Amino acid sequence: FDFRNKHRPFLLFVSLLHVHTPLITTEKFLGRSKHGLYGDNVEEMDWMVGELLDVISKKGLKNTTFIYFASDHGGALEARSGNSQLGGWNGIYKGGKGMGGWEGGIRVPGIIRWPGVVPADIAIDEPTSLMDIFPTVIQLAGGAVPQDRVIDGRSLLPLLQGAAQHSEHEFMFHYCGVFLHAVRWHQKDTGTVWKAHYTTPVFQPKDSGACFRRRICPCFGDGTTHHDPPLLFDLSQDPSEANPLPVDAEPM
């Protein structure tokens, strides 16, 4: 890393191929993990991020650099080699990559570091979006977001610095391609998060939680189910989206 602009404000965007099929891994990391090629790929990504953080520290930029590590989707579940599953694991959350509504496809890690500015060892349980990166960077650079159009993102700094207790996002819309699959409502006065699913993928096999026969779930067509009325979940009580609420359920 050159860091020719280390004495001026700079933006460094690193888009990793890891951990994404075909899971290209260098020879140095093949066989390093106990979880096959996917695990090796995770280990190599971890090393790459570590190298970048080390350089930032050695250049004296640790306390003046806002670092945001995230993913654009949840782990892919359908990746296989024979009978061996190569994909990720999304914990308690249903579904995975390529599913526009289920939590396993859209709930991703967001890890932030900025010593002396963002408190260490805090966890924020509020709905945010990768769209928030744009206004956050604009604010950090001392600029202002455009006023001649709707900006869907919100700066993360008030949440991170404790100036705000709740996300500015009241509604979040979750698309699969160009098709709206689900909508999330953050009921700010209670903190409850409700989600309505209008379209969901048809899992193959039925109870597998993924689309193994198609390799990735479709966004529309015969591989999806339309729900009228929509499936309704209280994510605050049911983050696994296991128990749809009755259609006449009312926010409490």
Side-chain angles (χ1 to χ4, degrees), residues 4 14 16 53 66 78 109 116-117 124 136 152 156 174 180 184 189 197 218 232 240:
R4 284 171 289 180
V14 180
L16 297 165
L53 296 181
F66 176 86
E78 289 89 0
V117 181
I124 297 173
T136 302
D152 292 316
L156 295 169
H174 304 299
L180 180 65
R184 180 186 313 255
D189 55 344
H197 286 263
L232 178 64
S240 299

Side-chain angles (χ1 to χ4, degrees), residues 44-64:
E44 185 165 34
M45 178 182 67
D46 180 68
W47 171 79
M48 294 170 71
V49 172
E51 289 290 293
L52 179 58
L53 296 181
D54 284 347
V55 171
I56 289 173
S57 296
K58 290 174 182 177
K59 296 291 184 180
L61 301 172
K62 180 177 179 180
N63 293 336
T64 56

Side-chain angles (χ1 to χ4, degrees), residues 3 38 42 82 90-91 109 135 141 160 190 214 223 234:
F3 281 100
Y38 187 89
V42 172
N90 297 313
L160 295 173
T190 65
R214 289 179 177 260
D234 176 358

